[in-house]
């Protein structure tokens, strides 16, 4: 969503609707790869990705290097241009009581 929005390409629900059976069971990395291609076709280059995962558990810190490497590989950008962080909600709300997990991302793009 961050990449699509940064380039004025709409949102993930428009591009990959969950009501379309074509996308059922598709790996998120495939959707990310397709999104990167849309970004490039519009004349943009991906600068960096900064993301937060909001969750009490599981503790995700040990997985950050692998997650960052995979995102960078799929987007074809340097690993040090991808940042994954996790935040807890200190037991507040649905996330804090372990009923939900959320994610946020910001993308920097520039005209190539």
């Amino acid at each position: 969503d961050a990449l699509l929005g940064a380039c004025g390409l709409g949102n993930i629900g428009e591009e990959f609707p969950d009501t379309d059976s074509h996308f059922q069971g598709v790996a998120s990395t495939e959707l990310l790869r397709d999104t990167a291609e849309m970004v490039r076709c519009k004349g943009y280059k991906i600068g960096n990705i900064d993301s937060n995962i909001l969750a009490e558990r599981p503790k995700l810190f040990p997985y950050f290097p692998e997650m960052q490497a995979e995102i960078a590989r799929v987007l074809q950008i340097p690993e040090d241009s991808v940042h994954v962080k996790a935040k807890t909600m200190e037991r507040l709300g649905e996330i804090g009581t372990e009923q939900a997990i959320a994610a946020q991302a910001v993308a920097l793009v520039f005209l190539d």
Side-chain angles (χ1 to χ4, degrees):
D1 255 349
L3 286 168
L4 293 169
C7 299
L9 292 169
N11 65 63
I12 199 164
E14 292 172 315
E15 294 298 330
F16 310 107
D18 61 2
T19 55
D20 185 337
S21 62
H22 176 75
F23 300 115
Q24 290 180 358
V26 172
S28 59
T29 52
E30 289 184 41
L31 302 180
L32 184 59
R33 182 176 292 113
D34 291 350
T35 298
E37 183 61 26
M38 286 185 257
V39 167
R40 289 185 186 101
C41 284
K42 189 148 184 200
Y44 287 91
K45 184 173 181 179
I46 300 168
N48 69 27
I49 303 293
D50 183 33
S51 62
N52 287 313
I53 302 168
L54 296 97
E56 291 296 312
R57 290 191 318 190
K59 297 300 181 192
L60 299 169
F61 182 76
Y63 304 100
F64 290 169
E66 182 179 344
M67 294 166 76
Q68 290 172 173
E70 180 66 2
I71 293 167
R73 183 189 68 76
V74 171
L75 294 177
Q76 299 174 0
I77 62 175
E79 282 187 40
D80 65 357
S81 294
V82 178
H83 307 279
V84 177
K85 303 180 296 292
K87 307 286 182 204
T88 64
M89 297 301 290
E90 304 296 330
R91 306 258 175 237
L92 296 175
E94 291 179 331
I95 294 170
T97 57
E98 300 179 25
Q99 297 176 41
I101 293 176
Q104 306 166 321
V106 176
L108 173 67
V109 298
F110 51 93
L111 288 173
D112 197 12

